[in-house]
Amino acid sequence: MGKLVNEFNDYRTRMNDRVMETANTNIKRFFALDTTSYAEGALSVKTKEMLGLVASMVLRCDDCIKYHLGKCHEAGVTSEELNEVFMIANLVGGSIVIPHYRRAVEYWDELSVSDKTIL
């Protein structure tokens, strides 16, 4: 993995651990709900992660975008599928999503270096 990916994953893990040190029951339940919501069900994990990515792009949350890009990569989303996800996110979110789209492509490229699925 590339530098962007490693830095993001290391920071996220470290800070999630820190948050959980002092988290109350409701925060712990929220984190658990987030985790279980993306489990296999009527919709596949792959579909849920693509939906999460669209929502994250429209809401313009770069951390969320990186997280869902990583999960999409793990779920086997192809570059062709990802381009359609980006198309929907830009259609729904408008031109303000474009800077996030650029960073998402950069992050996807880093995720995909080892498997040659670069956009």
Side-chain angles (χ1 to χ4, degrees):
M1 296 286 159
K3 181 180 176 184
L4 283 174
V5 174
N6 289 332
E7 285 177 356
F8 173 74
N9 287 333
D10 290 347
Y11 177 79
R12 185 176 186 280
T13 299
R14 185 175 69 253
M15 292 313 298
N16 278 349
D17 290 345
R18 176 66 182 106
V19 165
M20 286 301 157
E21 287 174 8
T22 59
N24 64 31
T25 301
N26 289 329
I27 291 294
K28 290 178 181 179
R29 286 179 181 157
F30 182 79
F31 271 61
L33 177 64
D34 180 64
T35 300
T36 58
S37 293
Y38 284 91
E40 196 75 25
L43 296 175
S44 68
V45 169
K46 182 177 176 179
T47 298
K48 290 178 180 184
E49 290 301 339
M50 289 188 291
L51 290 169
L53 179 55
V54 168
S56 297
M57 290 186 72
V58 171
L59 292 169
R60 302 184 308 273
C61 174
D62 283 329
D63 277 8
C64 303
I65 292 166
K66 289 174 182 175
Y67 174 78
H68 287 291
L69 282 168
K71 290 298 189 178
C72 283
H73 188 261
E74 289 173 16
V77 172
T78 67
S79 292
E80 293 79 17
E81 291 169 322
L82 193 67
N83 276 318
E84 292 193 17
V85 167
F86 290 154
M87 177 189 65
I88 298 300
N90 280 279
L91 179 66
V92 173
S95 63
I96 198 161
V97 174
I98 292 171
H100 304 278
Y101 177 27
R102 289 184 195 115
R103 288 189 290 275
V105 169
E106 177 184 29
Y107 198 80
W108 183 257
D109 285 350
E110 279 208 13
L111 285 166
S112 303
V113 165
S114 62
D115 59 21
K116 307 290 190 248
T117 60
I118 295 175
L119 294 174

